[in-house]
Every structure is written in C-alpha cells, then in structure tokens.
Amino acid sequence: MNHNLYKILYKNFKSDLDKICIEIPDYKKISFKDLDILSAHFASFLYDLGLKKGDRMICQIDKSLSAIGLYLGCLRMGVIYTPLNASYTNDEVKYFIQNIQPKLFVSKPKLNDDLENICAKLGVHFFKTIGTSDSDPLLIEILSMDPLNIFENCKDHDIAAILFTSGTTGKSKGAIITHSNLSSNALALREIWGFTGEDILLHTLPIFHVHGLFVALNTALLSASKIIFLEKFNIEDVLKNLPKSTVMMGVPTYYNRLVNEEVFGEKAYKNMRLFISGSAPLTEKTFKEFKKKTNHSILERYGMTETGMITSNPLDGDRVEGTVGFPLPKIKIRATKEGKILPENEKGIIEVKGPNVFIGYWGMREKTEEEFTEDGFFITGDIGQIDKTGRLTLSGRSSDMIISGGYNIYPKEIEIILNTIEGIRESAIIGVKHSDLGESPIAVLVRDSKVSKISENDIIEVLNRKLSKFKIPKSIIWIDKLPINAMGKVQKKNLRIKYEKILL
Ligand code: MLC
Ligand code: AMP
C-alpha cells in the first residue's frame, strides 16, 4: 500500500475537484483541481532538479499559494519538506542547513546575497528564490513545466518532513515526521472535530509550524473543506472573513485579540460552528470572556511538533476551561514521575504513544533515545494530570521554555549569546506574563564591573543580529547577583515570581 500523504489527501478530495479549495480574499480562488495541478508543477520542478525520495529541501518563504504548492509537491515526490520561520536570521538558518544538509534551499526573494553564499559554502546544490506574486519569475518557470502527476511510493515510516523545535541546550532538533504520522493525525482530527466538505476554515496561522501547516491544512484538505487563506492574523481581515467561515484555528493570542475587539459581534460569528485553540495555554479568563461574548466555548487541544495533536476537548460534550481534553483515537497518554506511572489526578510528566509520534531527531540518536521510554512512550516534558475520565489538565513544563504568541523560545539560546557580550557577567532569561502574547522573555543580567558599562541598546543590537525578532527580550533588568541554589543552579522560579507582572 502507498502511504504517500498527498495520495491520501487526493483520494479524499478527488470527488470535489471543481469545488473551491482555497480563497485568497480580493485576490483569487482556486479549485481542488487547480491545487492538484499546482502541486504537480512543483513536483516537476523538484524532479527537474534531480531531487528524489529522501532528499531534503529547506524553504524559508512567505505564506502563499506557491508555499502550499511546494509543500504538496514535496509530498508527491517523497522529498523531505523542511519549512523555516520566515523571520529566522542567517545565523539561525546556517545551523539548520548544517544539520540536515538539504539539496535545495528555497528562499523568499533575497534581500542580499548572504544566504546564497552560505548555501554555496555549505554544499547546498541548488538555491532558488520565490515570492508571493503571480508574476514571480520562478513561479512562471515552474508553471511552464509539464505537470508531473506523481504519487511516489511511500511506506508508512517514510519521512514526509523535518520540523525544527528548539532544544533545552540551545540547539534546535529536527523532528522527523513520517507520512503516516501526518495522515493518522489528520484522519483523527477530521473525525473528532467533525470536519466536512461543507466547512470553511479561516486560515490565518503561519505555515512553517505544525499548527498552520499540518493541523489546519492537512485536516481541511483531507475533508475537502474550503480554506480562506489570509497572509497573517490581522484583526481587520479576520473580522471581514469570519462571517464567511465555519471553523477557525488559532493560538490563544488570536482569541485574546478578538474578544477585546469592540466590533467583534454576532454578525462576525453567525456562521461559525467551531473555534479551536492550541500551541499555548488558553487562559480561563479568555475562555470565559469569549463564551460570555459569543456563546461559543473555544475548543482547546494540545500538541507538539514531535507528536502532532495529542489530546482535544470534545466537539460534543463538555469543553472544560483550563483542560486540554482527551487523547485522540489510537493515542495513549500517561503521567509519570521518576519513571513510575502515576495514578489518576497526580501531577507528573506527560508521556505519549501512538501512530502520531515522530521517529526521532535528525542526526541525534542519543537525544532521541533520551526522550523515549523503554516501552516506546515519548516524554513530552509537559507537566499535567489525568483524571479518572481520561481528561488531561496541563500545569506547566519541566523545562524553562517560554511560549510567546505561540512561538517557542528557549532561554539557553539567548543566554549563550548574552554571556559572550563584554560587560555582562551572568544572564538569566525568564518568561513573564504578557497580556497579548501570553508570555514574553525578559533578561535578568549581572554586570561585569571590570568592564565599562554596556548600554541596553548595544545588547539588543547584538541579539538582533543573531536571533529572530520574537526571541528578543522585552525588558532588561540589572541585579547584583542571580539567585542560585546549593548546586549552583540559577533559581529561575524565584526570578519568575519576582518579575511576573513587570510587563503587565
Ligand atoms: C511577531 N512578533 C512577535 C511574535 N510575532 N514577538 C513575540 N512573539 C510573537 N509570537 C514580533 C515581530 O518580530 C515584530 O517585531 C513585531 O512583533 C510585529 O510583527 P507582526 O508579525 O506584525 O506581529 P503580530 O501580527 O502581532 O504577530 C503576533 C502573532 C503571530 C501572535 C499574531 O506571532 C502568530 O501568528 N503566531 C502564531 C505562532 C504559531 O503558529 N505557533 C504554532 C507553533 S506549533 P518588530 O520588532 O519588527 O516590531 C505548536 C504545536 C501546537 O506549538 O500544539 O500547535
Ligand atoms: P512546539 O515545540 O512548538 O511544537 O510546542 C509544543 C508545546 O506547546 C507543548 O509541549 C506544550 O508545552 C505547548 N502547548 C501546545 N498546546 C498547548 C495547550 N493547549 N496548552 C498548553 N500548552 C500547549
């Protein structure tokens, strides 16, 4: 049997080929047939470059139909798809190239030659650029090629994508995700969220992460649902397009923004059947205010890059605020402490097993082994408890990871850079409350008194050169000494308590 995800998607939308598949408001609408042909053109492009099943391709491009075409073209060909956040700096991108050694790098139209030079130096065979407009030269070239109607034969464990997740040590890890990981998750989500061809999904998420790419796109395509495809979450465009939609997916920041918007009234959500939230904790406050304003209970679900979606509140039945619901079909979860499985209602590390779970980190065998138990459960690092009905409530994370507006930030990555700056003796990055983004990083620093004072602007400038904007601390606090415990470890918990409300 061919497990190629594109083939599975195609099989599920092929009886609706003439239906509108994607609408970009005020720009264009394309049918499922158009999408199928577009993806075949992109497959042809990859084939012409000599890429084969198992070859790696990295792209760092803006959200567009071409980006979807490239994703689906890779699936068709069995080429491993690795999308990167468009805001990553060249320093960050360099690491990803070194790590997975792609044959092809597709970039947004270049601002300078640096990235192309980096690719050449690192042995990437092909460097291409693609923009978002219909008159983009590469797109025109691709559309002039004969479409290649291929469904490369893929076994269930063949790799569809590698998505990078940040690591506690400051080094990102490439999660290897198979065709079957993706199809099993999309099939489960279609079932539990009741997606049908009647649905219209409002898509405002970026498509370089699991949420916008796999959860939203795969589930909608598999269900032959229409997608209203917006470049980003912009409140005006969202309010304009919500009345035409039936389902929306988003990070909690989207719902905070909507509920605080005065003109968000009944007209906007009259056709909506479901609002889904995930990637970060949805506060009980937002859940309750949203319910009060709209009479809709936001459906919160929980997932990870390594696992796709793990649990979800029910479509029918109680959606309980502060909980992330029940495991998806065929997925098992448990809470453990020091390797022992805990009874119900006891807090521990959440572990997960099922067809959704990735097969390991690219080129990091030891790291992979560390994160799986002997009986094959993946150790998520999230802390939670499971009640007697099987419902999961999350209460934190075992690492210091910060989630800002749905993007993960690992303090270590920032601290490593801060510690190289003259004038800083010690640093600690902590996450504190932020009314819009949920959490944001701030830097707590100790001066090196032997060196002349360094300005905050200089510090931010150094960070800006090396890191994406969303990782830059929103505030810098100078203190005399970081609190440490008997083992010499910085007590970040104390700092978090002290500065918890500094950005509110
Ligand atoms: C943008 N900026 C952010 C940011 N997003 N800063 C901190 N945190 C963020 N999340 C910065 C930009 O760099 C820029 O900086 C400034 O804010 C304005 O940029 P913008 O693009 O106009 O911002 P905005 O539209 O407000 O974006 C915020 C947002 C967006 C929340 C709408 O970040 C977003 O769509 N997030 C979704 C993330 C996501 O998809 N996560 C899923 C991960 S998958 P400057 O300095 O230039 O002004 C996963 C698994 C799972 O977690 O379970 O789903
Ligand atoms: P990522 O590595 O980007 O895939 O982020 C995965 C992490 O996001 C998980 O390990 C959780 O910590 C967090 N996450 C995802 N969904 C939720 C949710 N509904 N509530 C709380 N945290 C979540």
Side-chain angles (χ1 to χ4, degrees):
M1 182 183 158
N2 186 354
H3 290 265
N4 187 306
L5 172 65
Y6 185 77
K7 182 156 190 241
I8 296 170
L9 297 176
Y10 179 77
K11 205 175 97 195
N12 282 276
F13 66 64
K14 74 170 189 229
S15 51
D16 292 293
L17 284 181
D18 292 328
K19 231 184 86 178
I20 295 300
C21 166
I22 299 178
E23 175 184 343
I24 303 183
D26 305 322
Y27 182 50
K28 68 157 60 166
K29 293 180 184 171
I30 69 163
S31 65
F32 280 93
K33 189 172 176 187
D34 296 330
L35 184 77
D36 185 54
I37 296 171
L38 181 73
S39 64
H41 279 294
F42 273 89
S44 187
F45 159 67
L46 298 167
Y47 181 85
D48 260 34
L49 292 175
L51 269 77
K52 293 193 290 295
K53 179 174 154 189
D55 284 337
R56 270 107 37 222
M57 190 277 332
I58 294 187
C59 62
Q60 190 184 27
I61 55 183
D62 288 320
K63 188 174 175 181
S64 63
L65 284 177
S66 295
I68 300 185
L70 182 59
Y71 165 53
L72 298 178
C74 283
L75 290 179
R76 273 176 170 271
M77 285 284 292
V79 166
I80 300 172
Y81 184 74
T82 295
L84 297 182
N85 189 323
S87 70
Y88 284 150
T89 63
N90 285 356
D91 260 20
E92 290 168 309
V93 172
K94 205 165 150 184
Y95 169 82
F96 301 125
I97 299 174
Q98 282 165 329
N99 191 259
I100 67 163
Q101 296 173 309
K103 266 207 173 138
L104 166 67
F105 192 105
V106 185
S107 154
K108 53 191 170 181
K110 51 190 169 178
L111 302 169
N112 55 55
D113 292 333
D114 291 356
L115 192 53
E116 187 165 5
N117 292 336
I118 290 172
C119 284
K121 271 200 200 119
L122 296 176
V124 179
H125 296 203
F126 307 103
F127 179 85
K128 302 277 177 188
T129 65
I130 198 159
T132 57
S133 94
D134 279 352
S135 56
D136 178 83
L138 181 64
L139 179 64
I140 291 174
E141 189 190 324
I142 290 172
L143 295 180
S144 72
M145 296 172 175
D146 286 336
L148 181 65
N149 275 310
I150 185 173
F151 303 116
E152 179 66 37
N153 194 17
C154 291
K155 305 217 169 44
D156 57 354
H157 57 262
D158 276 332
I159 307 170
I162 298 176
L163 264 73
F164 281 94
T165 75
S166 321
T168 39
T169 57
K171 282 226 177 305
S172 290
K173 301 165 287 181
I176 307 170
I177 299 162
T178 66
H179 283 260
S180 290
N181 290 152
L182 296 178
S183 56
S184 70
N185 219 226
L187 286 160
L189 295 176
R190 178 177 71 176
E191 180 190 328
I192 62 158
W193 291 342
F195 263 77
T196 70
E198 301 293 302
D199 272 314
I200 302 174
L201 172 73
L202 185 62
H203 193 301
T204 63
L205 287 154
I207 53 170
F208 40 69
H209 280 310
V210 164
H211 197 163
L213 183 65
F214 300 146
V215 185
L217 277 188
N218 289 351
T219 309
L221 293 177
L222 189 77
S223 314
S225 308
K226 177 178 160 181
I227 299 169
I228 298 183
F229 197 63
L230 303 185
E231 189 199 332
K232 59 186 286 197
F233 185 90
N234 166 311
I235 197 85
E236 276 168 33
D237 295 334
V238 168
L239 289 172
K240 231 192 265 169
N241 288 286
L242 257 184
K244 297 189 273 176
S245 312
T246 65
V247 186
M248 180 181 137
M249 292 184 194
V251 296
T253 300
Y254 296 3
Y255 296 107
N256 289 335
R257 289 186 185 177
L258 267 178
V259 85
N260 288 318
E261 192 56 50
E262 257 177 43
V263 292
F264 176 54
E266 207 175 333
K267 260 198 198 149
Y269 50 83
K270 63 176 194 282
N271 289 320
M272 287 294 290
R273 70 170 182 90
L274 190 58
F275 290 94
I276 303 170
S277 174
S279 306
L282 179 75
T283 61
E284 293 187 23
K285 180 170 175 271
T286 306
F287 179 94
K288 283 196 172 119
E289 284 176 0
F290 202 87
K291 170 90 185 169
K292 195 167 163 213
K293 190 158 187 174
T294 65
N295 207 24
H296 276 277
S297 300
I298 299 171
L299 181 152
E300 185 172 10
R301 57 61 179 178
Y302 157 59
M304 286 183 87
T305 301
E306 289 92 332
T307 61
M309 298 304 98
I310 303 170
T311 67
S312 172
N313 269 282
L315 183 64
D316 302 314
D318 283 346
R319 298 177 200 161
V320 179
E321 63 264 46
T323 80
V324 290
F326 304 96
L328 269 51
K330 301 189 185 146
I331 296 177
K332 286 188 198 142
I333 58 167
R334 64 190 187 190
T336 67
K337 193 168 188 179
E338 287 149 14
K340 291 215 172 66
I341 301 170
L342 296 173
E344 57 200 41
N345 296 323
E346 281 194 28
K347 251 184 219 174
I349 303 271
I350 300 304
E351 298 180 351
V352 55
K353 190 175 187 177
N356 56 319
V357 177
F358 77 132
I359 56 173
Y361 296 112
W362 186 264
M364 294 184 182
R365 184 187 290 256
E366 270 180 32
K367 192 78 209 156
T368 304
E369 277 167 12
E370 271 170 31
E371 302 208 8
F372 278 90
T373 63
E374 272 175 17
D375 58 349
F377 277 74
F378 172 63
I379 306 163
T380 64
D382 291 310
I383 298 169
Q385 64 197 79
I386 303 165
D387 74 10
K388 68 170 189 295
T389 67
R391 187 187 278 276
L392 173 64
T393 302
L394 294 175
S395 47
R397 294 179 286 273
S398 59
S399 75
D400 292 326
M401 183 178 86
I402 300 161
I403 308 185
S404 162
Y407 289 147
N408 293 359
I409 301 169
Y410 271 92
K412 194 84 193 159
E413 192 185 1
I414 310 170
E415 289 161 5
I416 288 173
I417 301 172
L418 288 171
N419 295 344
T420 63
I421 300 178
E422 270 203 51
I424 298 175
R425 187 146 60 92
E426 281 179 295
S427 65
I429 294 289
I430 53 166
V432 297
K433 285 191 177 154
H434 189 283
S435 55
D436 180 39
L437 299 166
E439 269 183 322
S440 277
I442 65 162
V444 184
L445 305 178
V446 178
R447 274 191 208 288
D448 183 346
S449 52
K450 289 185 229 112
V451 179
S452 59
K453 269 194 183 173
I454 177 156
S455 77
E456 291 182 6
N457 282 348
D458 288 343
I459 295 172
I460 298 296
E461 208 185 301
V462 174
L463 293 177
N464 268 332
R465 273 202 303 274
K466 301 200 179 262
L467 296 173
S468 323
K469 283 269 173 59
F470 70 88
K471 298 178 187 168
I472 306 299
K474 294 244 182 287
S475 174
I476 292 180
I477 293 163
W478 294 97
I479 60 174
D480 291 337
K481 201 158 100 209
L482 294 179
I484 51 168
N485 65 12
M487 320 276 284
K489 199 169 175 277
V490 178
Q491 298 294 82
K492 287 198 174 173
K493 199 172 166 198
N494 298 357
L495 292 174
R496 275 196 294 269
I497 293 169
K498 185 157 180 202
Y499 299 113
E500 192 187 8
K501 294 191 177 151
I502 196 162
L503 296 180
L504 293 180

